[in-house]
Amino acid sequence: MLLGLTRGGRVLPSPRRCLLHCRHIKSAATAASGVGDSVLSAFRSICGEDGVSLGEAVREQHGKDESVHRCRPPDVVVFPRCVEEVSALAKVCHKHRLPIIPFGTGTGLEGGVGAMKGGVCFSLRNMEQVLDLHPEDFDVTVEPGVTRKALNAYLRDTGLWFPVDPGADASLCGMAATSASGTNAVRYGTMRENVINLEVVLADGSIVHTAGKGRRPRKTSAGYNLTNLFVGSEGTLGIITKTTLCLYGIPEAMVSAVCSFPSVQAAVDSTVQTLQAGVPIARIEFLDDVMIDACNRFSSLSYPVNPTLFLEFHGSEQSLEEQVKTAEDITQSNGGSDFQWARDTETRNRLWKARHDAWYAALALRPGCKAYSTDVCVPLSRLPQIIVETKEDLIENRLTGPIAGHVGDGNFHCLMVVDPNDPEEMHRVHLFTERLARRALAMDGTCTGEHGVGLGKRALLCEEMGPVGIQVMQSLKDALDPNNLMNPGKILQREEP
């Protein structure tokens, strides 16, 4: 028997016993996490030592997005460099029944990246190539590590751009996974209208191209629409490893304007009437008085603290003149102020940065608090009613919830600012968000216009779709992922055996 040294009469363990003890602790830890040494070795053989991380900080970074949902770290994070590695890693997970959670940039708002059942996070940041740009066909293919801003920087000298703009510098494949949209959706559409083809790794590691490998047609009637099956699937059906996107010519001219109104009703009525008049407006954003005050303070602006519209017009110089004249006539007929113009690029960028910083502006209203963004969408004709009723609900229940919205397509957000250490306030916020979502459903709308379902809106999805719709969704999930390995616990509330 090998003995160690003694200290104070106590026998110290030998180096060999220490080594065996450490190995036992490591094996116990990996076994408890559900990822054994043999699996880790397989992962490392696929994507290298640097491509696998068990570090606590790395796992926590990949267990949470920008939402209020608490961190649920995965057991291990892998960093594949190509679709072949994603496929090989997925096959290992499939063999060992390990959950798979895709991760882009972590900018989601519905808890979509939490590892609810542990498992393996596929961080796709190392797949960052812009592929197959076809400027003559107005399309491009990108890997999941490419963000919206990175793509537009790449396109800068081509005269083209990708206009879908959710505010955050999100991964484009992640934007496809959540069916994101944003400020330009009223003219250019959402991700659902701008994705031509997807490359997806399924739960068993097989690779599918949703419109056929290498296909780039702007329209097709060939079979089921597999592309839009995966757009908005939030990682529950497969891992998006490439997306082919529509591009657009950069407009000859752009001009932005700000207009304040005496009431919420007047501002939203102006939005609806502008669209009904056929003005091809690019952006039309609504900020209520609380939100414009927060933006003024945070971004050093000086707009009147009233319900306000931010507008942007794209086109030729001649067409812009006609668009602006029509919109200005409509806003003034509803009591709107004269337009305050932002014509040069620097001023326009400052204006829209202030709009995109609304999240941080809302947080600054109550330092130390957390923000939660609601996300409903209704038919345009119901928009004035739902915003007015929502404002009344906020005041009645003593809640801080500035309103900002992409009102051109009926979508708006309450940026709820709440003290997470106040259970009573948290409860009031929870009840409010449920009332808001059900108010939208009662007006023939949806519980989420662009953030997705994730964790927080699964019950609301059931109310929205009804039992037959949910059953069809579950059947699709079961067909593509019978072992429920792909991002389990999201979107659908599956009954586990």
Side-chain angles (χ1 to χ4, degrees):
M1 178 178 177
L2 293 173
L3 296 178
L5 302 175
T6 62
R7 179 180 297 164
R10 182 167 56 89
V11 178
L12 298 180
S14 69
R16 180 173 179 273
R17 287 180 64 191
C18 285
L19 181 61
L20 290 173
H21 182 63
C22 289
R23 285 178 177 171
H24 170 73
I25 291 174
K26 181 180 178 182
S27 297
T30 53
S33 73
V35 181
D37 290 336
S38 62
V39 173
L40 293 174
S41 296
F43 288 164
R44 291 184 179 112
S45 70
I46 294 166
C47 52
E49 289 286 339
D50 294 340
V52 181
S53 178
L54 294 167
E56 183 178 356
V58 174
R59 292 188 299 111
E60 288 187 357
Q61 176 192 351
H62 289 82
K64 182 169 174 53
D65 57 16
E66 296 288 341
S67 71
V68 295
H69 297 284
R70 70 183 179 91
C71 179
R72 301 294 290 265
D75 298 317
V76 59
V77 181
V78 294
F79 298 89
R81 296 160 294 194
C82 60
V83 64
E84 290 78 15
E85 290 187 0
V86 175
S87 174
L89 291 165
K91 288 176 181 177
V92 174
C93 292
H94 187 258
K95 177 181 177 181
H96 294 275
R97 299 294 189 265
L98 295 172
I100 297 170
I101 306 95
F103 188 96
T105 57
T107 56
L109 292 168
E110 291 295 343
V113 298
M116 307 306 295
K117 299 180 181 299
V120 184
C121 174
F122 284 49
S123 182
L124 304 168
R125 70 186 187 192
N126 290 336
M127 299 173 64
E128 53 183 0
Q129 297 296 309
V130 176
L131 309 168
D132 301 326
L133 171 62
H134 298 95
E136 70 282 3
D137 295 323
F138 294 85
D139 66 62
V140 67
T141 300
V142 300
E143 292 184 327
V146 179
T147 65
R148 172 183 64 86
K149 290 182 180 178
L151 175 60
N152 280 328
Y154 182 91
L155 296 171
R156 186 173 293 129
D157 296 329
T158 67
L160 302 174
W161 72 317
F162 184 69
V164 180
D165 177 6
D169 189 22
S171 154
L172 289 158
C173 288
M175 287 167 60
T178 58
S179 191
S181 54
T183 59
N184 284 315
V186 64
R187 176 158 182 171
Y188 298 99
T190 71
M191 289 300 288
R192 198 172 292 279
E193 291 81 44
N194 284 286
V195 174
I196 298 171
N197 199 351
L198 295 170
E199 177 185 81
V200 182
V201 176
L202 301 179
D204 63 359
S206 57
I207 302 171
V208 62
H209 297 86
T210 59
K213 189 171 183 178
R215 308 293 176 194
R216 300 180 290 113
R218 282 302 180 106
K219 65 178 182 179
T220 176
S221 58
Y224 300 145
N225 189 343
L226 296 183
T227 300
N228 273 341
L229 174 62
F230 287 93
V231 173
S233 62
E234 301 182 42
T236 63
L237 300 180
I239 305 168
I240 299 174
T241 51
K242 288 188 186 73
T243 179
T244 302
L245 302 167
C246 298
L247 300 177
Y248 297 81
I250 296 175
E252 174 189 327
M254 299 183 188
V255 63
S256 299
V258 180
C259 182
S260 60
F261 292 85
S263 67
V264 171
Q265 184 82 42
V268 182
D269 282 348
S270 293
T271 301
V272 174
Q273 292 165 20
T274 299
L275 295 172
Q276 288 172 337
V279 177
I281 197 163
R283 309 194 214 192
I284 184 163
E285 297 285 297
F286 171 80
L287 287 77
D288 75 348
D289 54 334
V290 181
M291 189 74 261
I292 198 70
D293 184 41
C295 287
N296 277 346
R297 297 183 190 186
F298 187 80
S299 300
S300 301
L301 303 174
S302 56
Y303 295 119
V305 181
N306 292 316
T308 300
L309 291 181
F310 285 15
L311 309 97
E312 187 163 275
F313 306 87
H314 294 177
S316 66
E317 294 287 356
Q318 185 175 353
S319 68
L320 283 190
E321 187 176 335
E322 183 179 349
Q323 291 180 43
V324 168
K325 175 74 166 62
T326 303
E328 199 163 23
D329 288 345
I330 290 171
T331 56
Q332 290 184 353
S333 71
N334 286 292
S337 67
D338 290 339
F339 282 1
Q340 295 187 47
W341 295 104
R343 298 180 186 275
D344 62 279
T345 301
E346 183 179 347
T347 308
R348 280 192 301 102
N349 288 344
R350 184 164 176 259
L351 170 68
W352 291 108
K353 185 179 187 304
R355 168 62 184 90
H356 285 322
D357 285 346
W359 173 272
Y360 305 105
L363 276 173
L365 290 174
R366 296 180 66 187
C369 289
K370 299 290 185 182
Y372 169 66
S373 179
T374 65
D375 170 43
V376 298
C377 187
V378 296
L380 282 176
S381 62
R382 309 303 295 274
L383 196 57
Q385 179 185 353
I386 193 171
I387 291 183
V388 169
E389 290 181 8
T390 299
K391 289 277 289 180
E392 293 171 351
D393 194 341
L394 287 165
I395 294 168
E396 182 179 338
N397 288 280
R398 310 181 318 281
L399 294 171
T400 303
I403 293 177
H406 320 307
V407 289
D409 51 18
N411 180 203
F412 74 95
H413 314 286
C414 283
L415 306 183
M416 307 303 301
V417 187
V418 60
D419 180 357
N421 298 314
D422 184 341
E424 192 273 334
E425 185 182 13
M426 290 291 292
H427 182 63
R428 281 187 285 123
V429 167
H430 175 71
L431 294 178
F432 166 80
T433 56
E434 288 200 345
R435 284 196 302 274
L436 174 58
R438 292 193 171 97
R439 191 177 295 128
L441 296 179
M443 296 182 186
D444 305 324
T446 175
C447 66
T448 174
E450 58 185 9
H451 293 171
V453 174
L455 283 175
K457 293 184 175 177
R458 294 176 299 172
L460 291 164
L461 179 69
C462 294
E463 295 180 30
E464 181 170 328
M465 296 301 301
V468 176
I470 293 295
Q471 182 182 347
V472 171
M473 288 186 182
Q474 188 66 65
S475 297
L476 290 167
K477 168 75 169 170
D478 292 341
L480 291 170
D481 180 21
N483 298 311
N484 193 27
L485 300 181
M486 294 302 312
N487 210 6
K490 315 297 167 48
I491 299 183
L492 299 172
Q493 295 178 309
R494 175 170 174 163
E495 293 292 332
E496 297 292 344

